[in-house]
Amino acid sequence: MRSSYWFRYLAVGVACALTLAAFVQWQIKDASEDAVARGLQFDLSWTGTNGRLEKTELEKFVAKYAVTGEQHYADQAQLFYQVLQSRLNTWDAGGFRVFLERSPGRIERFDELTALVRGLRDEFANLSDPKAQQTILDTLELASPLINRLGGEAHTESIAEAADVRERLQERHFLDNVLSVGLIAVSGLLLVAMTFLNHGLRQAHRRARDSADAFAHQARHDALTGLPNRFAFGEALKDAVGSAEIGQPMALFVIDLDGFKPINDALGHAAGDELLQSVAERIRRASSRWAPCCEVFRLGGDEFTVLLKDECASQKVFERANDLLAELRKPHRITAGNIIVDATIGIARSGRVMSGCDEIFVDADLALSRAKALGKGIALEYEPSMHAELRRRSEIEAALPLAIHNGEIFPHYQPQVDMISNRIVGVEALARWCHPNLGWISPVEFIPIAESSGRICEVGQLILTAACHDAMRLQADMRVSVNISVAQLMRYDVVDLVKEVLARTGLAPGRLKLEVTESIFMKDGDRIFATLRALKGIGVGISLDDFGTGYSALSYLQHFAWDELKIDRQFVKTLEAEEHSHHIVDAVASLAGRLGIPVTAEGIETREQHLMLRARGCKFGQGYLYGKPMTFDALNKVIQEDLRSCRDIPTYSVV
Amino acid sequence: MKQALYIAVFWAISLLLPASALRADDAVILTVDGKLAANHPVDFTRSQLEAMPMNTIVTTTPWHDGAITFEGVPLSALMKHVGATGNRAVVFALNNYSADIPVDEFDAYEPILALKRNGEYMPISDKGPLFVVYPFDQYPELKNELHYTRSVWQVRAISIE
C-alpha cells in the first residue's frame, strides 16, 4: 500500500533520530558532568585573594610594630607570618598546585615567593631588631608583585573556568533544546503520520467494508434485476416457515413466464434481459402495493417467487395472484418494442398440509406445473392431489425399467379396415402396460414419462419387436402399424435396429408401417426426413399420424413421399356437429388424394361417420366402430370371424 | 564587641607566644561564645578539647593531595558540651576569615574540629591549630563551593547566634 512505504521510511528515520539523540545526550551528560565537577574543585580566586590579603596584613603589622614598638603588633606579625606560610603551603598542594603546574612561569614565581617568605624565619625570630624589620619589609615588597600576579592569575583562571563551565552548560543546554525541539518535531511528525495512517486505515476499512457489503449484496441479489436471488430466497423461506410454525401465516407464489424462451431466441438476449427487468419491476411494484412485508425474488431464468406474510397470506391470496397476472399481461416497453408475455402462477399456503421448508416450495411448483399443463396464463393453488400425481409419476418412472424387462409392457392391436370392402386390412399396435400393483397404466400417462426419463427407445423397441413378431402370425397380407417417437428417430442406428428386428422376426418390410406425428419435425427436420427416407429405402412404410393437430405444415407433405396420412379423431368426432370439420376433412382428403397419399381416419365410432368419411374419399378407417384395441389372441379371433363373414360393416365389441 | 574580645584574648595569649607556631598545651586555642548555657564565653585548651570524645574523618580535600586522616572533636558534641541554643555558628579564623555554618549541619554531616592531621598536630603554618573538616568523601554533595568555604582552618573562635 502506498502509505505503508513512506511510513516505513518515516519509522526508520525516527528510530535513527532517536538513537542519535540518545547517544548525543549520553555524551553531553558525561562531558558536562565532568566540567561541572571540575568547576566545583577549588575556588582559585578566593584563595589567591586571601593570600594577597594575608601578605598585606603581615606587612601592616610589621610596619606598625616598627613604628610603635607595641607588643601586640609583634604578636600579630608573628601570627600572620604563620598564616602566610600556611597559605603558601596550601598553594603547594591540591587544586592550587594543579593550577600552578599549568604554567612553568607560575611555578617559578611560586618557588621564588616561597623562598622569599621562608627566608624571613630568622628575621621573625628577632623581630625587635629594626634591621630585621627592614629586611622583612623589603622582602615583602619584593614578594608583592609575585603574590599579586599569582593572585591575579588565580582570579583570571577562576573566571575562565567559570566561563568554560558556563559555556559547556550552555552548549549542553542548547543541545538539550535542540534535542527537545527535535523530539517535539518528531513527535509532531509521528502524529501527522499517524493521522494519515489512521485516515488511510479508515479508508481501507471503509473500502473493505463497502466491498464486503457489495459482495454480500451481490451474493444475495440477482445482478440483472436487483431482486434477491435464490440464495436469499432460501433463507427468507426458512424464516417464513419458521414463523408459520408458530402461527404466522405465509403464502408463496411461484411465477413462470410463458413463452419467454421464444422471445429470447427471436429478439436476442439483450431484449430478453430488458424484458426480465421490466417483469421484475412490475412484480415488485405490485407486491409492494399489497404490503411492505411481501418479498419478491428471482430464482433464475424466467422464474420468480413472491413470499407473502401475515394478512397478505391469509386474505385475498387468489385475488392478488390474479391481479398480478393482469399486471404482467400488460405490454412491456423495451428497446425492441412492446412485448406481451403471459405468466403462470403456482400458489401454496401455510395452514394446509405441510411439513418443512421444501414442501411448500414443491407444492407451489407442482401447482405451477399443473397450471401450465392446464393451459398457462392462470394462477392455480396447490391441492394435495397434485402431490399424489407427482408421487404416481415417480412410481411409474421407477417401475418402467422393470416393466420393460418383465414384459409388463406389450402391444394391443386395433384393427384398420378398408372403408369400401369393410375388411380388416391391418392393425395398429398400441402400447399397454399392466402393472401388478398399479393395474393398467394408460399410454397417455406412461409414454410421456418414458420420453422424459429416456426410456422411450426401449419401450418403442419392445413394442416394435412384439408387433413384428405378432404380425408374422397374421395373414400374409396384413400390415402392422407401429408408432415411432422422435427419440428413436434421432438415433444414428435406428435404420439398423429396424432392419434387425425385421430380419429377426422375418417380417417383410412392406408389411410394416411406422407412424410419426408432426411434432417430430420441431427439431432437425432435415435429419428426420433423411432418416425417414432411409427407412423407406429398406421397404418400410411411413405414416403421418394426427394430421391437422399441433405443428401442421403443408410443406411436410411436399418434402416426403408419405405412405399414409391419418386424420386426427377430433375432426371425425365433430363431423356430424360442425360444418367446418366437413370442409377440413374434404380438403385434407382431396389434397392427399391429389398427392397420391392414402388417408386413414381415426376415431370412427358411428356408422354415420363411416359413411360420411367414405364419401369424402377416406380409404381406411380405424375406431371403436370396428373394434377397440385388443390383445393379440382376441385380434386373431376377430380376424377369423371377419374372414368367415362378409357383413356390411364389421362391428366387433370384443374387449 | 567581638573585636574587643578577640583583641583581649589574643593579647592574653600573646604573652605566652613562642616563635614556634605550636601553642603550649595549656594555651587557649578555642573560645566559644554567644547563646550558651553559661552566660559567658567558654575557653578550651588543647588538652580540654582532647578530653572530649574524638572522631576520625578520612577524606580528600581540594587543598591536599590524596586522602588525609583528620582527628578531632565533632562539632555537634562541642555544641552539646557548651549547651548551645542558637541555630547559627559563626566560625572565626586567625587570618580574619569567618564563615557561617547552620548548627543543623553539625548533626547532619558530623563535621569535626580537627586537631590532628595524619596523626600529627597542625601548626598554624599547616592550617592549625583547629580545622573544620567535613566528610567530603562520605557525602559527595558536600563537594561544592559553599561547604569548602565552611571548611574553615586556623579556627580561633566560634560564636553561636
Side-chain angles (χ1 to χ4, degrees), chain A residues 448-633:
Chain A
I449 293 173
E451 275 171 347
S452 61
S453 68
R455 298 243 171 233
I456 192 64
C457 289
E458 290 172 62
V459 172
Q461 191 72 359
L462 192 65
I463 299 297
L464 178 66
T465 312
C468 290
H469 183 255
D470 289 340
M472 287 302 288
R473 289 152 65 190
L474 294 172
Q475 282 174 262
D477 57 350
M478 287 266 181
R479 43 164 224 241
V480 64
S481 293
V482 182
N483 287 290
I484 189 163
S485 68
V486 61
Q488 286 166 282
L489 283 171
M490 288 296 279
R491 291 177 68 133
Y492 66 92
D493 59 350
V494 60
V495 182
D496 292 329
L497 283 172
V498 171
K499 256 207 296 199
E500 194 248 336
V501 168
L502 289 169
R504 202 156 17 103
T505 54
L507 186 68
R511 289 178 63 187
L512 177 64
K513 265 223 186 72
L514 295 173
E515 291 190 7
V516 300
T517 61
E518 288 160 319
S519 59
I520 65 171
F521 296 109
M522 285 190 70
K523 281 193 201 183
D524 218 347
D526 291 337
R527 181 157 156 212
I528 301 289
F529 274 124
T531 309
L532 292 175
R533 272 183 215 113
L535 285 166
K536 269 197 77 140
I538 62 168
V540 173
I542 311 289
S543 304
L544 185 52
D545 199 2
D546 297 340
F547 186 75
T549 66
Y551 303 92
S552 303
L554 295 176
S555 62
Y556 297 155
L557 295 179
Q558 189 188 34
H559 279 136
F560 190 75
W562 300 92
D563 297 299
E564 187 185 18
L565 206 72
K566 295 181 84 171
I567 296 179
D568 190 69
R569 65 193 64 239
Q570 69 179 340
F571 298 113
V572 173
K573 200 167 173 164
T574 55
L575 210 51
E576 293 157 304
E578 289 179 35
E579 221 180 290
H580 283 311
S581 306
H582 274 270
H583 297 310
I584 290 167
V585 169
D586 265 343
V588 170
S590 141
L591 177 61
R594 275 172 226 254
L595 293 174
I597 305 173
V599 177
T600 306
E602 288 184 292
I604 303 174
E605 287 174 9
T606 67
R607 206 189 140 88
E608 287 71 33
Q609 287 167 350
H610 170 96
L611 291 167
M612 277 198 258
L613 285 161
R614 189 173 67 177
R616 266 146 191 82
C618 285
K619 201 136 188 269
F620 304 106
Q622 188 178 330
Y624 283 5
L625 181 65
Y626 316 113
K628 294 191 175 158
M630 59 189 91
T631 63
F632 182 72
D633 293 327

Side-chain angles (χ1 to χ4, degrees), chain B residues 71-135:
Chain B
E71 208 185 313
V73 179
L75 281 154
S76 55
L78 185 64
M79 293 298 106
K80 260 209 236 23
H81 186 88
V82 299
T85 55
N87 52 19
R88 200 155 66 110
V90 187
V91 182
F92 293 92
L94 288 166
N95 65 350
N96 301 329
Y97 177 69
S98 68
D100 286 3
I101 309 179
V103 172
D104 298 336
E105 277 206 0
F106 296 160
D107 293 318
Y109 295 111
E110 293 286 335
I112 59 172
L113 201 57
L115 285 147
K116 287 189 180 161
R117 180 179 84 85
N118 286 344
E120 295 192 8
Y121 293 112
M122 293 179 282
I124 296 175
S125 56
D126 188 23
K127 307 184 182 65
L130 296 166
F131 186 12
V132 175
V133 176
Y134 277 87

Side-chain angles (χ1 to χ4, degrees), chain A residues 152-169:
Chain A
E153 279 180 46
H155 179 67
T156 308
E157 181 91 356
S158 193
I159 301 276
E161 197 145 325
D164 188 45
V165 168
R166 198 175 26 249
E167 207 178 283
R168 275 175 207 273
L169 287 174

Side-chain angles (χ1 to χ4, degrees), chain A residues 306-430:
Chain A
V306 183
L307 198 59
L308 302 102
K309 294 198 250 219
D310 307 323
E311 339 81 60
C312 293
S314 48
Q315 299 159 5
K316 300 198 191 172
V317 173
F318 210 69
E319 280 117 325
R320 291 211 173 91
N322 281 312
D323 284 344
L324 188 56
L325 282 176
E327 265 299 309
L328 288 172
R329 243 175 250 131
K330 294 190 191 149
H332 295 265
R333 192 175 224 123
I334 64 171
T335 322
N338 286 347
I339 306 275
I340 298 181
V341 276
D342 226 338
T344 311
I345 301 183
I347 308 169
R349 278 198 261 190
S350 66
R352 307 301 176 95
V353 176
M354 181 181 88
S355 56
C357 237
D358 296 328
E359 290 293 326
I360 195 169
F361 182 67
V362 167
D363 294 350
D365 213 31
L366 277 175
L368 177 70
S369 307
R370 184 59 113 89
K372 280 183 152 228
L374 286 178
K376 304 188 181 178
I378 59 167
L380 194 64
E381 187 165 346
Y382 165 78
E383 279 158 41
S385 61
M386 296 180 188
H387 226 98
E389 219 180 278
L390 181 69
R391 217 180 313 125
R392 183 173 163 91
R393 210 195 134 88
S394 304
E395 269 181 310
I396 292 172
E397 196 175 316
L400 253 180
L402 205 60
I404 295 167
H405 190 260
N406 287 350
E408 290 166 16
I409 302 176
F410 48 85
H412 276 190
Y413 298 97
Q414 190 176 35
Q416 291 170 333
V417 303
D418 182 307
M419 296 286 264
I420 299 178
S421 72
N422 298 328
R423 305 220 75 91
I424 298 174
V425 292
V427 290
E428 185 182 343
L430 299 159

Side-chain angles (χ1 to χ4, degrees), chain A residues 101 109 155 181 194 240 248 268 294 303 428 454 526 530 546 620:
Chain A
E101 281 169 357
R109 281 190 281 278
H155 179 67
V181 169
M194 261 207 293
Q248 284 169 316
C294 295
E303 206 175 324
E428 185 182 343
D526 291 337
D546 297 340
F620 304 106

Side-chain angles (χ1 to χ4, degrees), chain A residues 195-206:
Chain A
T195 313
F196 274 116
L197 198 70
N198 193 37
H199 181 66
L201 272 174
R202 231 183 292 140
Q203 258 191 349
H205 175 72
R206 209 181 308 129

